[in-house]
Amino acid sequence: MTTLSTSIPKLPEPPTFATVAEERRDRKQRLAAAFRLFSRYGFDEGIAGHITARDPEYRDRFWVNPFGMHFGQIRARDLILVNDKGEVVEGNKPVNAAAFAIHSQIHAARPDIVAAAHAHSLYGKSWSSLGRLLDPLTQDACAFYQDHSLFDDYTGVVLDPAEGKRIAQTLGQNKAIILRNHGLLTVGETVDEAAWWFITMDRSCQAQLMAEAAGKPRVIDSQPASIAHSQVGSHHIGWFSFQPLYDRIVQQEPDLLDD
């Protein structure tokens, strides 16, 4: 008779690198993979949306998608490097001014994070119009329990770094923020983590929209929601949850790795 173990198996760890060059290459490839996945999930919306990854050597600079390039075409070699003044220091394509205004301030305020992801996903922007935080309705949504913020303001396209600073201040130490009438933004200690939080947060928005359309959903109580948060909302789980998606997209679209 087989006895099921109740202990959590030891999970793989994020890779380590012998050189900065190796780490930069891996980070850019994972950033390119995140864009391809965002395209697969339908998170692209014309020229809107951006994911950034802090450079492992020059920590006041970040890699980002070229302005106007479709998520589904981005390769590691297409990414551009932007400094803290908004200047493109590597690459020959322009940077989205909104990407710089928001992400520069988040990276400056949160030295603990490597990546930040923002896109105009359908369910994220739909939920954002309600001006509410997500409720702990499902186990997956508990990843954000008491760990996301609401930027309860909308003044137009974010082009001023001062507005980005306000967003960063509202984000605080949380992993995600809902930008009212705009969409979602998530952060992580790895590109993988930030991308996964965005994917699962958008789905949590979809789940709550559907549940409330169908009836009156039952909210998970505070204590079990906190327990679930500790189980599904850690940095490590965020990184690990992205790995199957990364492996699949690389297998299906290997050109994204070109650098």
Side-chain angles (χ1 to χ4, degrees):
M1 181 177 177
T2 302
T3 302
L4 293 177
S5 173
T6 57
S7 62
I8 299 175
K10 183 173 175 57
L11 302 178
E13 296 289 335
T16 56
F17 304 92
T19 67
V20 170
E22 289 178 5
E23 185 173 9
R24 179 181 293 118
R25 182 172 184 264
D26 180 78
R27 193 169 291 183
K28 290 174 65 179
Q29 290 177 336
R30 289 178 180 274
L31 185 55
F35 283 115
R36 295 291 183 100
L37 285 163
F38 274 32
S39 177
R40 287 285 188 96
Y41 281 105
F43 296 162
D44 51 298
E45 181 81 10
I47 59 173
H50 17 85
I51 313 173
T52 53
R54 193 190 303 272
D55 186 81
E57 181 177 8
Y58 305 103
R59 292 186 55 81
D60 60 342
R61 301 177 183 180
F62 56 78
W63 296 92
V64 65
N65 48 310
F67 191 35
M69 188 171 190
H70 194 278
F71 289 177
Q73 295 179 312
I74 293 175
R75 300 164 297 180
R77 71 198 305 181
D78 297 312
L79 299 167
I80 58 176
L81 184 63
V82 179
N83 66 17
D84 59 354
K85 298 179 180 64
E87 300 165 336
V88 177
V89 295
E90 188 169 329
N92 57 7
K93 296 183 176 72
V95 62
N96 184 333
F100 175 74
I102 297 172
H103 291 250
S104 64
Q105 299 305 308
I106 289 174
H107 282 285
R110 292 286 299 276
D112 58 306
I113 66 131
V114 162
H118 167 66
H120 295 184
S121 58
L122 179 60
Y123 300 108
K125 64 185 179 182
S126 298
W127 179 259
S128 76
S129 70
L130 303 178
R132 294 167 53 194
L133 293 173
L134 283 169
D135 293 323
L137 296 188
T138 65
Q139 177 172 290
D140 297 321
C142 287
F144 304 98
Y145 181 64
Q146 297 184 337
D147 200 7
H148 69 298
S149 308
L150 171 65
F151 186 69
D152 196 12
D153 193 10
Y154 180 78
T155 58
V157 178
V158 181
L159 299 176
D160 186 347
E163 185 80 346
K165 187 173 184 178
R166 291 177 60 215
I167 292 172
Q169 290 172 340
T170 304
L171 172 67
Q173 294 302 306
N174 293 329
K175 63 159 62 84
I177 185 170
I178 296 169
L179 309 175
R180 200 195 76 201
N181 302 107
H182 189 169
L184 312 177
L185 185 145
T186 58
V187 300
E189 293 183 353
T190 59
V191 172
D192 312 55
E193 182 190 354
W196 170 250
W197 293 142
F198 192 96
I199 291 167
T200 191
M201 190 177 198
D202 188 73
R203 285 181 160 184
S204 293
C205 291
Q206 180 184 9
Q208 184 154 355
L209 288 165
M210 293 175 67
E212 292 189 350
K216 186 176 181 180
R218 296 180 61 180
V219 176
I220 298 173
D221 291 337
S222 177
Q223 184 176 3
S226 295
I227 293 171
H229 176 270
S230 70
Q231 295 168 328
V232 302
S234 69
H235 299 297
H236 195 183
I237 289 295
W239 171 83
F240 185 56
S241 296
F242 185 77
Q243 301 317 299
L245 302 179
Y246 179 79
D247 293 342
R248 187 165 184 259
I249 198 69
V250 167
Q251 182 184 57
Q252 294 176 339
E253 302 181 26
D255 67 299
L256 71 87
L257 300 176
D258 293 349
D259 65 350

